[in-house]
Amino acid sequence: VLGTDTLTASYTPDSNSSLTYNGASGTSQVTVNPPPSFTLSPSTSTLTVAQGSSNTDTITVTGANGFAGNVTLSASGPLSGITASFGTNPATGSSALTLTAASTATVGGPVTVTITGTSGSLTASTTIALTVTAGPTFGVGGGGSTISVEPGATTGNAVPISVTPSNGFTGTVSLTCSITPAAASDPPTCTLTPSSVAITGTAAQSSTLTIVTTAATSAKSEIKGLLWPIAGTALALLGFGVPRRKRNWLATIGAFALVVAFGAIGCGGGNGGGGGGGGNAGTTPGTYTVTVTGTSGTLTGTLGTVTLTVQ
């Protein structure tokens, strides 16, 4: 009579295992096969991404022992400023992993990015060493320059500004300027010529920063400037618009009126440079800061500041 034998075996996942059993019914050989599984592997184990750009790696899913399932992929690690996306997810054979760095992503590395695949109760993982480098950018030069001018000056009121690309930057950079603090009277203004520069290679491009201020004027000088043409017109009318027999006495009256007018203006402007007649105080003397900013899309260049002294 043949007996009944019970065999219990366990699998050690380093290779297929076999054992020989001698029982009441004779000698038997039992083979224990490993369960289905999969592994993940990147096409490159190191990846570099520049700020504001992306780079791609390929993650390959390799099945073993008859595995034929879908694998859901995910990425984890110190990914501040980095986003990860998969071209195919879940994947059965391979998937393109794209790592994108924001323009504000922290430069440095390498840091370890872990790619994990899950299929039911099965998991597998692999790693990529990621390095983030500085992205294309530009700097605005001219900071540290000084301008010292009298109000209303038209010379010595300009400085050169340079725009220098780095890390392969190309594009158009728009330039703007501002002046602080606000002046009490006739604030200085600034212009940039040209107001934008095109970067097409590695060479720096230039612009000119020009400061405009206002000179002080008095009411006396302003009114005198108007009275001379008025006086000429009045005398012409006296000479040609009045009959000959009346010209002499009208000319005398007109001349007398002009003398009185000029005398009144002279007296009115003799106390305090314009007295109560008004006038323009001009740009308030003092020290100002001129800030030049360059922008190109979402990029803002290094700020350059210029010190302005109005004497």
Side-chain angles (χ1 to χ4, degrees), residues 46 58-59 61 64 66 77 91 95-98 111 142 161-162 191 203 227 288 301:
T46 60
T58 299
I59 306 299
V61 180
S95 181
L97 166 65
T98 300
V111 296
I161 299 296
S162 63
T191 59
L227 280 177
Y288 302 86

Side-chain angles (χ1 to χ4, degrees), residues 11-80:
Y11 166 69
T12 302
D14 55 355
S15 65
N16 290 345
S17 300
S18 64
L19 57 86
T20 300
Y21 172 72
N22 294 316
S25 58
T27 301
S28 299
Q29 187 172 12
V30 179
T31 299
V32 181
N33 293 319
S37 64
F38 65 90
T39 59
L40 302 179
S41 59
S43 58
T44 177
S45 59
T46 60
L47 202 64
T48 299
V49 182
Q51 289 175 316
S53 62
S54 60
N55 205 347
T56 302
D57 202 348
T58 299
I59 306 299
T60 299
V61 180
T62 302
N65 308 315
F67 175 83
N70 292 327
V71 177
T72 301
L73 301 170
S74 62
S76 62
L79 299 179
S80 177

Side-chain angles (χ1 to χ4, degrees), residues 65-180:
N65 308 315
F67 175 83
N70 292 327
V71 177
T72 301
L73 301 170
S74 62
S76 62
L79 299 179
S80 177
I82 306 294
T83 57
S85 62
F86 295 92
T88 302
N89 198 16
T92 55
S94 65
S95 181
L97 166 65
T98 300
L99 295 176
T100 302
S103 60
T104 56
T106 302
V107 173
V111 296
T112 299
V113 177
T114 300
I115 310 302
T116 302
T118 304
S119 180
S121 61
L122 300 177
T123 61
S125 63
T126 188
T127 60
I128 297 173
L130 174 66
T131 300
V132 179
T133 60
T137 188
F138 58 88
V140 179
S145 300
T146 59
I147 299 176
S148 182
V149 294
E150 297 281 347
T154 57
T155 59
N157 61 331
V159 294
I161 299 296
S162 63
V163 180
T164 304
S166 60
N167 303 323
F169 172 84
T170 58
T172 299
V173 179
S174 299
L175 299 170
T176 57
C177 59
S178 59
I179 300 178
T180 55

Side-chain angles (χ1 to χ4, degrees), residues 259-279:
V259 170
V260 172
F262 279 115
I265 293 170
C267 294
N271 296 321

